[in-house]
Amino acid sequence: MTTVLITYCIAWGAIGAYTAWFTIGDLRLRQRKASFESTPASRSSIARQVTTAA
Amino acid sequence: MGYVQRILYVHVSVAWCGLASCLAMGFCAAMYLGSRRLPWDHWAQAAAEVGWLCTTLTLVTGSVWAHEAWGTWWTWDPRLTSSLVLWIIYAGIVLVRGSIEDPHARARIGGVIALIGTCDVPLVIMATRWFRGVHPVAPEMDTRMQLVLLASVLIYTALFAHLLRHRQIQLRLSEQVAQLEADEWQACAGRWG
């Protein structure tokens, strides 16, 4: 009984971890895309990096 | 076997999903190599990741079952060995893809390895028939057990298909963000450079 429970926990834990990993990645990507679309290019993080470097 | 036979429901389901993912990956890789369109590569990459997860779970659940049924965690049975080879192929594809920056080079190299890896699928399926081993070929089952197994296979297939679709959407989004970033770098470089 314990062996079966542990096996199912490992299986669902792995599936849950993979889902959580790419859900977090998805949220970050969506935020990044939204920031590109909402911020004028001149005030973006890339523009700041270029200004600092110059 | 008692309670331990319940491992079978998850083991068979994830094994089926691992093999199906490999076939899907091979098909998408072939489509990319034929058309050079990146969306096909996104599907192939998503299938490689989902397939790696499924094959890992197949090996883990199978190992636990083997320990209870055969008294050993691992034996070099043809089915087990060919499944391990499949896992190594998946791991190799995921690692190689992670180490290449250029999307088309990544897709091309990943696609070729995926096509080679697909050749292992018939070997995994037919291993119990072609070679003598300890892995059961098609065990006798009660009708109720067959129904539960069928339901389990369908549910896991739907779950992994859902994960596959979502991961493919995320990879497409990642490509769009990379493109936006590249465009912005170019615009900034033009303005200040």
Side-chain angles (χ1 to χ4, degrees), chain A residues 41-42 46-47 50-51 54, chain B residues 181-193:
Chain A
S42 56
I46 290 173
V50 172
T51 315
Chain B
E181 212 167 61
D183 290 348
E184 194 149 331
W185 272 107
Q186 216 162 26
C188 289
R191 200 175 301 126
W192 281 286

Side-chain angles (χ1 to χ4, degrees), chain B residues 51-68:
Chain B
W52 178 80
L53 176 68
C54 291
T55 312
T56 306
L57 291 176
T58 307
L59 292 176
V60 171
T61 54
S63 192
V64 175
W65 188 84
H67 183 253
E68 299 296 318

Side-chain angles (χ1 to χ4, degrees), chain B residues 52-98:
Chain B
W52 178 80
L53 176 68
C54 291
T55 312
T56 306
L57 291 176
T58 307
L59 292 176
V60 171
T61 54
S63 192
V64 175
W65 188 84
H67 183 253
E68 299 296 318
W70 308 331
T72 178
W73 293 102
W74 182 263
T75 173
W76 293 102
D77 171 85
R79 172 64 69 83
L80 273 67
T81 310
S82 54
S83 299
L84 181 66
V85 170
L86 185 66
W87 183 85
I88 293 169
I89 290 165
Y90 271 135
I93 291 170
V94 172
L95 285 174
V96 166
R97 281 180 167 279

Side-chain angles (χ1 to χ4, degrees), chain B residues 117-184:
Chain B
T118 310
C119 301
D120 189 43
V121 174
L123 201 64
V124 177
I125 294 170
M126 299 308 290
T128 51
R129 289 176 175 85
W130 287 345
F131 312 104
R132 197 183 297 269
V134 288
H135 195 285
V137 181
E140 286 290 314
M141 261 191 216
D142 184 71
T143 316
R144 280 184 305 169
M145 278 178 75
Q146 283 179 352
L147 284 175
V148 175
L149 181 61
L150 182 68
S152 177
V153 168
L154 289 176
I155 289 165
Y156 276 94
T157 306
L159 171 72
F160 285 116
H162 180 71
L163 287 180
L164 189 78
R165 171 85 182 128
H166 265 261
R167 183 68 179 129
Q168 182 268 338
I169 290 170
Q170 189 195 32
L171 287 166
R172 200 178 56 196
L173 186 67
S174 164
E175 195 65 40
Q176 287 171 356
V177 169
Q179 190 58 52
L180 280 170
E181 212 167 61
D183 290 348
E184 194 149 331

Side-chain angles (χ1 to χ4, degrees), chain A residues 9-25, chain B residues 52-53 163:
Chain A
C9 284
I10 291 170
W12 283 100
I15 294 167
Y18 177 69
T19 312
W21 170 71
F22 84 70
T23 306
I24 292 166
Chain B
W52 178 80
L53 176 68
L163 287 180

